[in-house]
Amino acid sequence: MVATSPSSDRPDGLPPPPVLWLAAGIWALGMGAMVASGVATRFEPLTINVLRALLMAILGWVFSLALWRVSTVAARPRWAILALGVGVLAATTAHTLLDLQVDHLLQAWLNPGLHVRRILSDSVLRAWVMSLIAESHVVIFATLYAFFGMASTILRSAAETREREAQLAAARTLAVSAQLAMLRHQLNPHFIFNTLNAIASLVAMRRSDDAEAMIGRLSDFLRASLGVDARPLATLDDEMTTLQNYLDIEAVRGARLRLAYDLEPGLGNALIPSFLLQPLVENAVKHAVSPALGPVEVRVSARQVGNDLVVTVADSGAGGARGQAAGTGTGLRNVRERLALLYGDRASLAAGPRGEGFVAAVRVPLRRAGDDA
């Protein structure tokens, strides 16, 4: 047994409810055993027998709670066990002495007169032990306190195990959240730098309206990308809005792309990891649109397949040239890591050339905004 932290006890100083009920149950059984023992071994009125057993059961419950409190003082397991053993011995001794005193007072009050009990033995010590056992409930007390000590040790160990598991789970959650935040915030610095350079060029060319529009779109894009820590999942509609902000910036910069959406009706509230699609679209812009002389189409599609949501980002250029490096880029690797952290093996990313283009398909369990899950 190890000492628990203060959080394992109630704020009012009492032991936790399982310990309270354990002590109450033990001493309720103990009261029955004391009554039965009195009926079987002592010639005293039933009223005295029951009243004595009731008082001793209440006292045993109080002593048991004190015993629990004593066992929590020690900081190390071995000292806690020693404190519990000493506490059991002390509680049994004190309880037995009080039991004899209460019996004497009750007999004098409710059954006055001479009471003689004869014990024959060739040993003074043996006679004293036999008299103690006959006149008191010492055997019942010792048994119940020992049982309470063992049971409370088990309860304490179980509570500490749950607490350690909760702390470990919380630490893992924090670690996963930190890693997810790091992966989300690995934006391509070249995109930001190029956008700022494009804004500076627009200002130099006195295209203030275009520069203002581009600043507004960049602000919206960064707000969406950097503000997702509080919501690791976003709806598909929100992700499409973020993508549109990003592509509007690319369009102002002169990228030759055409964006097409092909979303199955009813999937607008489907949940996917926030900011997951932007790296896939950015990958298409970088490797397919930028090197192209003519327009390149980037198509984002979403379909429900069984109990899963499949979102695909496909472009129409440079697929063969990217075939050898398929799936090895930083953006694709980060997407895979995020999926693994959030879904384990229940999600996947498949990326590779298809015809003259390149396709990346994300598959995640289908969940919708507002679901209990």
Side-chain angles (χ1 to χ4, degrees):
M1 185 187 75
V2 296
T4 59
S5 61
S7 62
S8 62
D9 290 335
R10 290 164 49 180
D12 56 9
L14 291 177
V19 177
L20 296 176
W21 286 109
L22 172 66
I26 286 177
W27 287 104
L29 294 175
M31 180 180 172
M34 284 184 278
V35 171
S37 173
V39 171
T41 62
R42 283 188 288 273
F43 300 98
E44 59 186 15
L46 183 61
T47 303
I48 295 178
N49 191 11
V50 173
L51 185 57
R52 178 185 179 188
L54 176 61
L55 293 175
M56 291 303 101
I58 295 174
L59 186 61
W61 184 76
V62 174
F63 277 2
S64 295
L65 301 187
L67 186 62
W68 169 274
R69 178 58 62 186
V70 168
S71 69
T72 65
V73 175
R76 296 187 177 184
R78 65 177 64 182
W79 293 113
I81 293 175
L82 178 61
L84 188 62
V86 173
V88 168
L89 181 61
T92 302
T93 302
H95 207 162
T96 301
L97 293 176
L98 289 172
D99 181 36
L100 293 172
Q101 186 65 26
V102 167
D103 181 48
H104 175 73
L105 293 175
L106 290 176
Q107 290 286 0
W109 177 34
L110 298 176
N111 189 29
L114 183 63
H115 303 281
V116 179
R117 184 186 298 274
R118 220 174 253 186
I119 296 177
L120 301 177
S121 175
D122 56 355
S123 169
V124 175
L125 178 61
R126 186 179 303 168
W128 179 81
V129 172
M130 293 174 63
S131 175
L132 181 65
I133 294 174
E135 295 292 339
S136 72
H137 300 105
V138 61
V139 175
I140 295 176
F141 296 158
T143 301
L144 294 182
Y145 282 125
F147 180 80
F148 175 80
M150 291 185 293
S152 62
T153 299
I154 295 173
L155 286 177
R156 184 178 297 280
S157 298
E160 291 171 352
T161 299
R162 288 193 299 270
E163 185 175 354
R164 284 193 295 269
E165 290 176 349
Q167 292 174 347
L168 180 59
R172 288 175 176 170
T173 299
L174 290 175
V176 170
S177 298
Q179 190 170 357
L180 284 173
M182 179 194 69
L183 293 173
R184 284 197 298 264
H185 295 160
Q186 285 182 342
L187 299 175
N188 186 348
H190 297 292
F191 164 73
I192 299 177
F193 296 152
N194 290 339
T195 302
L196 294 176
N197 288 334
I199 293 174
S201 298
L202 291 173
V203 172
M205 297 168 59
R206 300 185 183 280
R207 295 171 55 184
S208 57
D209 291 342
D210 291 337
E212 183 178 353
M214 196 170 192
I215 292 173
R217 294 187 182 102
L218 179 61
S219 175
D220 293 338
F221 174 76
L222 291 178
R223 184 180 298 109
S225 63
L226 299 177
V228 296
D229 289 336
R231 48 179 189 92
L233 299 178
T235 64
L236 201 55
D237 284 341
D238 289 341
E239 280 296 288
M240 293 302 105
T241 301
T242 302
L243 280 182
Q244 191 61 56
N245 288 331
Y246 167 75
L247 292 170
D248 286 344
I249 295 172
E250 292 289 351
V252 173
R253 289 175 51 201
R256 296 161 298 281
L257 67 86
R258 292 180 302 184
L259 183 65
Y261 296 110
D262 183 16
L263 308 180
E264 184 177 303
L267 291 181
N269 65 341
L271 295 175
I272 61 173
S274 299
F275 217 66
L276 186 76
L277 299 182
Q278 188 274 338
L280 302 180
V281 175
E282 182 179 352
N283 194 53
V285 171
K286 178 180 177 181
H287 294 286
V289 179
S290 295
L293 299 178
V296 174
E297 181 181 81
V298 177
R299 177 175 293 271
V300 180
S301 61
R303 294 285 184 274
Q304 179 177 350
V305 180
N307 294 323
D308 294 337
L309 172 67
V310 178
V311 182
T312 302
V313 177
D315 62 69
S316 60
R322 298 158 63 189
Q324 294 181 348
T328 62
T330 301
L332 296 178
R333 183 169 61 251
N334 286 350
V335 170
R336 285 196 174 94
E337 290 178 4
R338 288 191 63 193
L339 291 175
L341 286 170
L342 286 170
Y343 300 104
D345 58 1
R346 297 181 60 195
S348 63
L349 168 64
R354 184 177 66 183
E356 295 297 325
F358 191 88
V359 61
V362 174
R363 187 182 189 114
V364 297
L366 178 59
R367 297 175 182 172
R368 298 180 182 276
D371 289 349
D372 292 339

